[in-house]
Amino acid sequence: CLATPRGTGTVLSDTHELSRDAPLNCVTYKLDWPCTKSRMDLIASARSKLLTTFQRVASPQQAVLVTDEDTLRILSACLRLSELIEAAPHITLIESLATPLEVRAPPSLAPSLDVIYFIAPKSDSLAAALADHERHGSDRPPAYGGTAHFVFTRRLPDELLERLRCSPVLARVGTVRELHLHYVPLARAAFSLSAPNAALSDLYSPQ
C-alpha cells in the first residue's frame, strides 16, 4: 500500500507504483500499512527483489554490475556489498557508469565478462550504456564481450526501447527487465523519490 505524504496515513492504492508516468521527486513518504510487519519493511522488500534479480541475471557466467547515480543510491540504501557477492557470486565487479571506460572495463578482463546494467530508464544512462558496445574502428571492440543484460528501475519509455532495438548490442542482449523500484527505501515504512523542487505538485496536479 502506498500512503499520502508524511503524516496523513491515508492509503491510496495497493501497488508498488505511484503512477506509470510519475517522475522521480525528492520528497519523503511515510507508509501506513494495516498489514503484517513483513509487508511493511520496504528495505527488506527492495533487498529481496534486488538479490533475486541479480541471482538469476547472467548466472552462472561471470559478470560486471554497472550502475548509474540513481541505482547506486538504491543499492547503498538496502544492500551491503557482502550480501550481494554472497547471493550472486558470479558478479565479480561492481562499477559506476560514470567511471571512464578504460578504468571500469580493462581490456585484459572485460572482453570475457557478461555485463549487467542496473540503471534508471533515462536517456543519458542508456546512451552511456549503449556507447560501451559501439565500435569505433577495428581497434576498439565492444567494452564487454559477453552477453549484455539491462535491468531498469521502472518502465522503459517507448523511445528509449526503440533506441535499444537499434543498437549494435541488440544481438547480444540476454535480459531486459523492469523492476518497478524507482524509490530509495529509507526505513521500514519510509522512502524517498530523490528529486527536488515541486514534488507534490508534480504528483498531484490535475494537469
Side-chain angles (χ1 to χ4, degrees):
C1 304
L2 287 177
T4 50
R6 184 186 312 184
T8 63
T10 303
V11 173
L12 292 178
S13 62
D14 190 11
T15 177
H16 291 290
E17 294 182 271
L18 289 173
S19 167
R20 292 188 68 176
D21 299 319
L24 289 172
N25 295 283
C26 189
V27 61
T28 299
Y29 289 79
K30 183 176 180 181
L31 304 190
D32 186 12
W33 271 327
C35 316
T36 64
K37 289 185 177 180
S38 61
R39 281 194 68 187
M40 288 181 62
D41 196 335
L42 281 176
I43 293 179
S45 175
R47 180 189 297 117
S48 176
K49 180 179 288 191
L50 289 169
L51 290 179
T52 299
T53 298
F54 294 140
Q55 282 172 340
R56 295 174 179 174
V57 174
S59 181
Q61 301 298 320
Q62 286 193 321
V64 54
L65 176 64
V66 179
T67 68
D68 64 9
E69 183 180 356
D70 293 341
T71 55
L72 184 58
R73 280 199 298 268
I74 295 172
L75 286 176
S76 300
C78 50
L79 271 180
R80 292 191 299 270
L81 179 61
S82 59
E83 291 177 312
L84 178 57
I85 298 302
E86 181 179 355
H90 60 286
I91 295 178
T92 57
L93 293 170
I94 301 174
E95 299 286 357
S96 169
L97 199 55
T99 302
L101 183 60
E102 60 272 16
V103 175
R104 63 179 168 85
S108 61
L109 179 62
S112 64
L113 293 175
D114 284 6
V115 58
I116 305 169
Y117 293 102
F118 178 42
I119 56 178
K122 300 192 300 187
S123 179
D124 55 346
S125 292
L126 183 61
L130 296 181
D132 287 352
H133 304 274
E134 294 175 355
R135 292 178 178 269
H136 297 280
S138 59
D139 58 332
R140 183 185 161 184
Y144 302 100
T147 303
H149 306 271
F150 290 85
V151 180
F152 297 100
T153 55
R154 63 188 189 278
R155 181 181 179 273
L156 185 65
D158 291 344
E159 61 271 19
L160 296 186
L161 179 60
E162 187 61 28
R163 187 183 301 181
L164 178 58
R165 285 178 178 150
C166 296
S167 168
V169 75
L170 182 63
R172 294 190 294 111
V173 170
T175 305
V176 177
R177 303 190 77 173
E178 299 166 339
L179 290 189
H180 306 297
L181 190 61
H182 47 285
Y183 60 87
V184 178
L186 303 176
R188 289 179 56 178
F191 67 96
S192 171
L193 295 180
S194 303
N197 302 323
L200 294 180
S201 62
D202 286 344
L203 286 172
Y204 297 112
S205 172
Q207 299 178 356

